[in-house]
Amino acid sequence: EDKVVQSPLSLVVHEGDTVTLNCSYEVTNFRSLLWYKQEKKAPTFLFMLTSSGIEKKSGRLSSILDKKELFSILNITATQTGDSAVYLCAVVPNTGNQFYFGTGTSLTVIP
Amino acid sequence: DGGITQSPKYLFRKEGQNVTLSCEQNLNHDAMYWYRQDPGQGLRLIYYSQIVNDFQKGDIAEGYSVSREKKESFPLTVTSAQKNPTAFYLCASKSPGAGELFFGEGSRLTVL
């Protein structure tokens, strides 16, 4: 059975800290892994990682994919209170039709 | 602006009543999805549709029904058969190829 596991479930840090969020997966015929940020309502897209793009960076956020060990990490440096959110990881198999989500990591950044 | 519109944002219903959640998109996406989100849990797939007049059950389809009569619209009906319907419901559509999901703002359903 396909499975996506995120850790930790929740995290509280101070502004300026660096955090690393983890996502491990077991998916038959992997196609891509996606990271989303969910603040209140709609998740917003952050990154998509595939076999041809295993590292992405945007400002203070970066992500890598390890296809051999079947995991991805999302790094946030110099955290700000606006980074407080639930971060969701989703994996897409080769059929491309379904997205398997993890339970998310709840990040709280305190001033 | 292009996007996904869900309505209503908040909905209260009595036990035994059916309720329909609306989802409309103007992104010209073929694929549309309904997810349920409960506290401490990830997104769980209810139904998805790859094309008009076709849809497939997800992991938790029992007690729900959908239709896809138009490309832009994918309404979800929560029936009285759904034992625990209080949840946050998210609709999404997918860009072509191996694209990402775009989400609506969600509908929060509370059963009294």
Side-chain angles (χ1 to χ4, degrees):
Chain A
E1 181 178 304
D2 297 332
K3 187 168 60 175
V4 180
V5 178
Q6 292 187 245
S7 65
L9 291 180
S10 65
L11 193 56
V12 180
V13 301
H14 287 95
E15 266 191 320
D17 288 349
T18 293
V19 298
T20 298
L21 310 182
N22 303 290
C23 176
S24 64
Y25 62 91
E26 296 175 24
V27 170
T28 305
N29 297 322
F30 171 88
R31 174 183 254 182
S32 60
L33 184 146
L34 297 89
W35 284 97
Y36 285 86
K37 177 183 182 182
Q38 185 179 25
E39 293 182 75
K40 291 290 185 185
K41 297 179 180 178
T44 53
F45 172 73
L46 295 175
F47 298 118
M48 180 166 66
L49 302 155
T50 66
S51 300
S52 57
I54 61 172
E55 187 168 352
K56 294 287 177 72
K57 182 175 171 63
S58 176
R60 298 178 293 104
L61 276 67
S62 63
S63 182
I64 62 169
L65 172 70
D66 188 325
K67 275 199 69 181
K68 183 180 177 183
E69 300 298 331
L70 308 184
F71 76 89
S72 174
I73 62 171
L74 176 68
N75 272 324
I76 308 175
T77 60
T79 52
Q80 303 169 358
T81 55
D83 295 325
S84 296
V86 173
Y87 290 84
L88 297 165
C89 170
V91 176
V92 185
N94 251 337
T95 58
N97 296 334
Q98 291 208 35
F99 291 67
Y100 295 97
F101 282 86
T103 54
T105 293
S106 176
L107 173 66
T108 302
V109 181
I110 55 179
Chain B
D1 287 353
I4 300 176
T5 301
Q6 288 187 240
S7 64
K9 289 184 170 44
Y10 299 94
L11 186 62
F12 296 89
R13 150 197 135 174
K14 293 182 181 179
E15 278 191 27
Q17 292 180 333
N18 292 353
V19 62
T20 296
L21 308 181
S22 170
C23 177
E24 303 279 332
Q25 55 103 355
N26 59 6
L27 299 168
N28 201 33
H29 289 168
D30 287 313
M32 295 187 73
Y33 301 76
W34 273 105
Y35 288 92
R36 171 180 171 141
Q37 188 174 31
D38 295 283
Q41 299 198 39
L43 305 186
R44 292 185 291 167
L45 182 64
I46 305 173
Y47 269 97
Y48 67 102
S49 168
Q50 298 296 305
I51 198 168
V52 173
N53 292 323
D54 188 45
F55 47 83
Q56 287 78 41
K57 293 181 178 180
D59 300 319
I60 56 167
E62 186 175 349
Y64 300 96
S65 67
V66 294
S67 63
R68 189 82 187 278
E69 297 177 2
K70 299 186 301 181
K71 186 176 185 177
E72 304 79 18
S73 178
F74 191 40
L76 173 74
T77 297
V78 185
T79 75
S80 56
Q82 168 51 233
K83 298 304 179 189
N84 185 21
T86 294
F88 186 56
Y89 292 89
L90 283 163
C91 178
S93 68
K94 189 172 83 74
S95 56
E100 70 267 29
L101 288 176
F102 293 84
F103 286 90
E105 292 286 298
S107 294
R108 188 169 297 280
L109 172 64
T110 302
V111 175
L112 304 173

